[in-house]
Amino acid sequence: MSKEEGNIFQSAAWNTFNDEYEGSGIEENFGPELESDKIKVENTEVSELKSSAQTLLRLDIDRSGSMNGFTGAMQQALELVKESIFTSQEVNRIQMAKTLFAETVEPGGYVEPEKFDTSYSANSGCTKLYDSIIDSERRIRQYSADLKKNGVSVKAVLCILSDGLDNDSVASFEEAKESIRKMQDDDVTVCFIAFGSEQCQKLANQLGITNVVKTDATIHDLHKIMKFVSLDTVRRSQGNDK
C-alpha cells in the first residue's frame, strides 16, 4: 500500500464492511464444541413477555446414577421452586429453565413459571458437569442478548446442583472456570448446591463459585435451600419496568 493511500481502517470501505459484519449475527465462539450445541430449545418469545424486565433462572441439575437416592426430594424441591415463583408478585418478571446432565447434557428453554417442567429422574452414566456449565453460560448469554436487543432489561441466575466430580466432559476444568468467570463478569449470579460431598464443594470453590452450600439432601434441607433460591430470584426481579 502506497503512502498516499492512507489508513484503510479510516476508509469508507472499512466503515461499510464493519457495519455489515456487525449486523451479520456472526458469533465468534472459541470454546469447546459440545454435543449439546446441536440442541435447539424454544425460549419464550419477546412478544409474549408480560414485563420489560426479566430475571432468568436456570437450574443445572446432575442426574447421574449417584443422584438416584435424591429423586423424590429433588422433584419436590423443583415443585416448590415453581410454586414459590408462580405465586409471587414478580411472576411476570421471571423466566425459568432446566438443564439435566449425566452422560449427556439436556438443556431446556426459558418458559413462564406456570409452564416450568418439574419432572426429574436420575440416570445411570457419567457426569458431564463442565459441559453443562459451559452450555448453560452460552444459553444464558444468547437469550439475554436477544432480550436486550429488543429493549428488555435482564438479570440472570444459574443454580448448579451436583453430588460428584466431572468424569466425562469434552470441556476441561479451565474452560468451565472461564465460563463461570464470563457469567460473573456479566453480573450473572452463580450458585452451587453440593450434595453430600465436601470434595464437590471444594471443586465448586475451585471453579470460582463463591455461593456454595453443602447439603445431605434431606427433604427438609433441600427444600430450605431451594426455597431460599426462589426467594432470592424473586428479590432480584423486583423493580420498575422500563
Side-chain angles (χ1 to χ4, degrees):
M1 181 175 73
S2 68
K3 190 173 182 180
E4 290 75 19
E5 285 183 272
N7 186 345
I8 62 171
F9 298 111
Q10 295 176 354
S11 67
W14 165 253
N15 291 336
T16 299
F17 173 82
N18 184 54
D19 290 342
E20 291 177 350
Y21 188 90
E22 293 301 326
S24 67
I26 294 173
E27 175 69 27
E28 288 99 344
N29 180 7
F30 300 107
E33 183 176 346
L34 308 177
E35 279 296 313
S36 58
D37 288 336
K38 302 172 185 177
I39 300 175
K40 301 299 181 184
V41 301
E42 295 292 330
N43 296 314
T44 301
E45 295 289 343
V46 176
S47 61
E48 297 176 2
L49 296 176
K50 298 172 183 175
S51 170
S52 60
Q54 293 293 314
T55 297
L56 310 180
L57 171 62
R58 177 170 287 276
L59 302 173
D60 188 12
I61 309 172
D62 188 344
R63 62 173 302 190
S64 58
S66 57
M67 291 287 288
N68 189 60
F70 307 127
T71 300
M74 182 71 76
Q75 185 156 350
Q76 290 180 23
L78 292 176
E79 291 169 354
L80 177 65
V81 172
K82 177 178 180 176
E83 180 183 7
S84 297
I85 292 177
F86 181 62
T87 56
S88 75
Q89 293 184 345
E90 307 302 323
V91 60
N92 292 336
R93 301 173 186 269
I94 299 173
Q95 298 291 311
M96 301 176 64
K98 178 179 69 176
T99 293
L100 299 176
F101 66 91
E103 59 189 11
T104 59
V105 177
E106 304 168 17
Y110 284 100
V111 297
E112 298 175 352
E114 182 181 12
K115 300 177 182 177
F116 181 67
D117 177 12
T118 61
S119 62
Y120 174 81
S121 62
N123 204 0
S124 60
C126 301
T127 305
K128 290 184 181 291
L129 174 62
Y130 300 158
D131 285 358
S132 75
I133 290 172
I134 292 173
D135 182 89
S136 291
E137 183 270 324
R138 291 175 181 173
R139 294 183 191 277
I140 291 170
R141 172 165 42 85
Q142 290 164 359
Y143 190 42
S144 295
D146 185 42
L147 294 181
K148 291 175 182 178
K149 183 175 64 178
N150 287 276
V152 179
S153 63
V154 181
K155 299 175 184 178
V157 178
L158 174 64
C159 184
I160 305 163
L161 301 94
S162 181
D163 74 330
L165 307 184
D166 186 283
N167 57 16
D168 194 41
S169 284
V170 172
S172 67
F173 167 84
E174 290 300 331
E175 287 168 327
K177 186 175 181 179
E178 175 64 10
S179 280
I180 297 294
R181 185 196 64 78
K182 287 179 181 178
M183 286 187 280
Q184 292 170 339
D185 286 351
D186 289 337
D187 293 324
V188 176
T189 299
V190 182
C191 58
F192 197 111
I193 301 174
F195 281 69
S197 168
E198 292 182 3
Q199 193 175 13
C200 188
Q201 184 179 16
K202 182 179 179 181
L203 172 64
N205 290 140
Q206 291 171 338
L207 284 167
I209 304 172
T210 55
N211 302 309
V212 182
V213 62
K214 177 177 168 291
T215 175
D216 291 327
T218 62
I219 291 178
H220 173 77
D221 198 32
L222 184 58
H223 283 192
K224 177 178 65 177
I225 292 169
M226 295 307 287
K227 179 71 172 181
F228 179 78
V229 169
S230 306
L231 294 175
D232 188 63
T233 300
V234 169
R235 179 185 62 80
R236 292 176 189 280
S237 69
Q238 291 171 343
N240 296 322
D241 289 350
K242 300 195 305 174

